[in-house]
């Protein structure tokens, strides 16, 4: 195993939950794959040893992108809170982490350290970075793709195992074409992960969530500017807890089988199906980003050739793999864990029709996210009956699965008459922040009840 793997890789376990029994002629195999990472030596916000940079180079590199467009002056304290939040994030950096701050308008300006470089975090550079933030002032437009490309140049030149961005915006991407933002996301995918935040209510939910989705980060709303400091601090603490980057879920399937879909289903729903990259023979890699001490669930669905009763086959082999940071195009340096998905054909009706609890639960959580998204869109289109039906179904699913957080968000847009039945009435007036919060957090899930 490579040196970096010995020193940085936490312990991974893979568990597979499924009903492996198929009826005569059955072809579809479903499984929930739980991946858990522990013991990675997470240090949170504590400094690394003084000689860590000399021994290993920077373990992590972070670029903070702060919206400095003219709209950040309305209200005037928005920019002040953004500065304070960025200062708090800088204070949370570990010693030895490479970092930079970018001011985003209709162009991207390197606030600190400048010159296309990353600074190395210590007391002196943190102080200089915070002093540079005092010169930020709102002006100009919004071209988020430009900010992301700047972060890509900075982070792409780093050999850090963890490369991460934090992006804050308060408005819509009005000063570049939508295609330019999509192209920027394509260029940045695989180079760094990124958390995206919208402050206030004048930004576009689909734009912000698309950034986080493409770059394997999180998206959220900070409705009031005074909430930014706590949010940025938490984001940076999480980033500092990551121990290994560029991890992929590798799925091998036998001859004649095909993958129907691969979805992350906890802690949030994220479809990875179209992000597959070939890893011959008969394997494909699905990106999962960077990991610290955490657990995630994935729903894997494979279609296999039907076989006779009593026949058993390996429907899929799941592995977690990581490449060397110094050679991302080379072969995987190490396999972090493996799991097996089986298929057994039977004429026992009770066995073949039993629905695995984990599969059922996460199928419902994916439907919940779809119901919220569709319901809110129908409401925007003026289809009250359609919106009521879809949001009622969302209430029913949230209640049945125990997703209390989503249930509370739904109660701000509908009056619930009967949660188990999904009977609701659309509220006549809905606060814009409440609607945007529900839409932004619609993909967040809960684990299966024990």
């Amino acid at each position: 195993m490579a040196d970096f793997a010995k020193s940085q890789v936490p312990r991974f376990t893979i568990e597979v939950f499924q009903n492996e029994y198929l009826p005569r002629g059955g072809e579809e195999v479903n499984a929930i794959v739980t991946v858990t990472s522990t013991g990675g030596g997470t240090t949170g916000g504590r400094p690394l040893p003084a000689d860590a940079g000399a021994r290993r180079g920077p373990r992590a590199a972070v670029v903070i992108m702060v919206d400095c467009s003219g709209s950040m002056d309305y209200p005037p304290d928005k920019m002040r809170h953004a500065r304070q939040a960025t200062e708090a994030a800088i204070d949370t950096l570990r010693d030895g982490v490479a970092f930079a701050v970018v001011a985003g308008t209709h162009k991207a300006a390197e606030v600190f350290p400048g010159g296309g470089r990353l600074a190395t975090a210590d007391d002196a550079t943190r102080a200089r970075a915070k002093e540079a933030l005092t010169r930020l002032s709102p002006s100009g437009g919004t071209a988020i793709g430009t900010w992301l490309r700047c972060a890509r140049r900075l982070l792409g030149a780093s050999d850090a195992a963890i490369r991460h961005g934090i992006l804050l915006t308060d408005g819509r991407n009005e000063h570049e074409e939508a295609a330019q933002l999509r192209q920027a996301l394509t260029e940045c995918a695989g180079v760094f992960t990124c958390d995206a935040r919208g402050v206030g209510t004048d930004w576009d939910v689909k734009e912000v969530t698309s950034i986080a989705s493409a770059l394997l980060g999180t998206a959220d709303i900070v409705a009031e500017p005074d909430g930014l400091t706590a949010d940025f601090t938490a984001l940076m603490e999480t980033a500092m807890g990551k121990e290994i980057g560029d991890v992929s879920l590798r799925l091998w399937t036998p001859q004649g089988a095909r993958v129907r879909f691969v979805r992350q289903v906890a802690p949030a729903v994220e479809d990875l199906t179209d992000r597959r990259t070939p890893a011959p023979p008969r394997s494909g890699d699905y990106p999962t980003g960077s990991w610290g001490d955490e657990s995630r669930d994935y729903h894997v669905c494979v279609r296999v050739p039907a076989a006779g009763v009593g026949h058993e086959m390996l429907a899929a082999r799941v592995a977690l793999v990581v490449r060397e940071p110094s050679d991302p195009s080379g072969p995987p340096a190490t396999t972090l864990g493996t799991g097996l998905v089986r298929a057994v054909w039977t004429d026992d009706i009770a066995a073949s029709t039993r629905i695995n609890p984990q599969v059922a639960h996460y199928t419902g959580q994916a439907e919940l996210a779809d119901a919220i998204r569709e319901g809110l869109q129908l409401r925007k289109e003026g289809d009250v009956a359609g919106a009521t039906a879809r949001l009622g179904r969302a209430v029913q699913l949230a209640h049945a699965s125990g997703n209390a957080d989503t249930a509370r968000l739904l109660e701000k847009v509908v009056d619930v008459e009967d949660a188990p039945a999904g009977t609701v009435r659309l509220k006549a007036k809905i606060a814009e922040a409440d609607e945007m919060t529900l839409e932004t957090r619609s993909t967040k899930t809960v684990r299966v009840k024990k």
Side-chain angles (χ1 to χ4, degrees):
M1 185 182 292
D3 289 342
F4 94 93
K6 290 178 182 177
S7 62
Q8 298 180 35
V9 175
R11 292 186 296 275
F12 283 85
T13 59
I14 294 180
E15 298 175 277
V16 176
F17 302 94
Q18 67 165 133
N19 176 14
E20 64 266 37
Y21 293 102
L22 299 179
R24 185 188 304 269
E27 297 180 331
E28 188 169 285
V29 181
N30 286 274
I32 299 299
V33 178
T34 296
V35 181
T36 303
S37 165
T38 57
T42 299
T43 62
R46 297 190 299 276
L48 291 173
D51 64 343
R55 291 202 316 268
R56 300 183 295 193
R59 291 282 304 280
V62 181
V63 173
I64 306 172
M65 293 160 274
V66 185
D67 191 336
C68 292
S69 61
S71 58
M72 287 291 287
D73 205 23
Y74 304 97
D77 66 344
K78 192 189 294 183
M79 191 74 241
R80 174 171 60 83
H81 284 297
R83 290 192 202 98
Q84 291 173 351
T86 306
E87 289 177 4
I90 290 170
D91 280 335
T92 310
L93 288 165
R94 292 192 312 250
D95 283 351
V97 170
F99 77 103
V101 180
V102 171
T105 58
H106 52 281
K107 57 184 179 180
E110 296 177 32
V111 176
F112 183 83
R117 300 174 296 112
L118 296 168
T120 300
D122 57 27
D123 289 343
T125 55
R126 279 191 284 263
R128 290 201 299 273
K130 288 187 287 184
E131 194 278 329
L133 294 178
T134 64
R135 297 191 290 273
L136 294 182
S137 60
S139 66
T142 304
I144 298 175
T146 303
W147 315 352
L148 291 166
R149 286 192 175 93
C150 180
R152 185 189 186 282
R153 288 193 296 272
L154 292 166
L155 293 170
S158 170
D159 63 354
I162 307 299
R163 299 177 302 278
H164 192 72
I166 294 176
L167 184 147
L168 173 69
T169 184
D170 81 324
R172 292 171 172 80
N173 195 45
E174 296 176 336
H175 291 83
E176 66 181 3
E177 298 295 328
Q180 292 176 284
L181 175 57
R182 289 195 298 270
Q183 181 59 35
L185 291 172
T186 299
E187 294 171 7
C188 294
V191 177
F192 65 97
T193 56
C194 186
D195 294 317
R197 292 295 184 266
V199 59
T201 58
D202 293 330
W203 48 281
D204 186 275
V205 172
K206 289 184 175 62
E207 283 181 351
V208 170
T209 54
S210 71
I211 292 167
S213 175
L215 302 183
L216 300 173
T218 64
D220 207 351
I221 179 175
V222 184
E224 298 297 332
D226 60 7
L228 283 171
T229 295
D231 188 77
F232 266 41
T233 300
L235 286 177
M236 191 61 81
E237 286 175 346
T238 299
M240 293 299 93
K242 301 296 184 181
E243 290 293 323
I244 181 170
D246 300 322
V247 178
S248 294
L249 194 72
R250 174 164 292 181
L251 197 62
W252 173 92
T253 51
Q255 189 72 35
R258 67 179 181 87
V259 178
R260 281 202 60 214
F261 62 78
V262 176
R263 297 184 188 127
Q264 178 185 285
V265 288
V269 177
E270 188 65 59
D271 196 341
L272 303 177
T273 309
D274 293 337
R275 305 186 195 189
R276 175 187 175 107
T277 56
R282 296 199 302 274
S283 296
D285 287 353
Y286 301 85
T288 68
S290 55
W291 288 73
D293 283 7
E294 59 188 295
S295 182
R296 306 180 200 172
D297 292 338
Y298 299 88
H299 186 171
V300 172
C301 181
V302 177
R303 187 173 292 278
V304 297
V309 170
H311 186 77
E312 178 177 342
M313 71 177 294
L314 180 61
R317 181 185 297 111
V318 182
L320 214 64
V321 298
V322 62
R323 298 180 185 276
E324 288 275 13
S326 59
D327 185 17
S329 63
T334 201
T335 297
L336 306 175
T338 60
L340 304 178
V341 180
R342 300 170 62 238
V344 181
W345 283 264
T346 181
D347 54 9
D348 183 334
I349 296 176
S352 64
T353 56
R354 185 173 62 248
I355 300 176
N356 177 269
Q358 281 87 352
V359 172
H361 174 82
Y362 285 122
T363 299
Q365 294 289 282
E367 185 187 350
L368 170 60
D370 289 341
I372 291 172
R373 184 178 63 252
E374 293 164 6
L376 292 177
Q377 182 60 40
L378 289 169
R379 178 184 176 276
K380 292 174 184 176
E381 295 170 358
D383 184 349
V384 174
T388 302
R390 295 307 290 144
L391 292 173
R393 176 58 175 159
V395 167
Q396 185 180 41
L397 289 164
H399 174 80
S401 65
N403 195 330
D405 289 342
T406 299
R408 281 191 289 269
L409 294 175
L410 282 162
E411 288 171 358
K412 294 185 178 182
V413 301
V414 295
D415 292 315
V416 180
E417 297 179 354
D418 186 341
T423 305
V424 304
R425 287 181 292 106
L426 201 64
K427 287 183 182 290
K429 292 184 178 180
I430 301 174
E432 189 172 14
D434 291 337
E435 184 176 12
M436 291 178 70
T437 301
L438 175 61
E439 185 176 2
T440 305
R441 299 178 184 174
S442 63
T443 59
K444 295 185 184 298
T445 59
V446 292
R447 309 300 285 269
V448 179
K449 294 178 182 177
K450 299 298 182 183

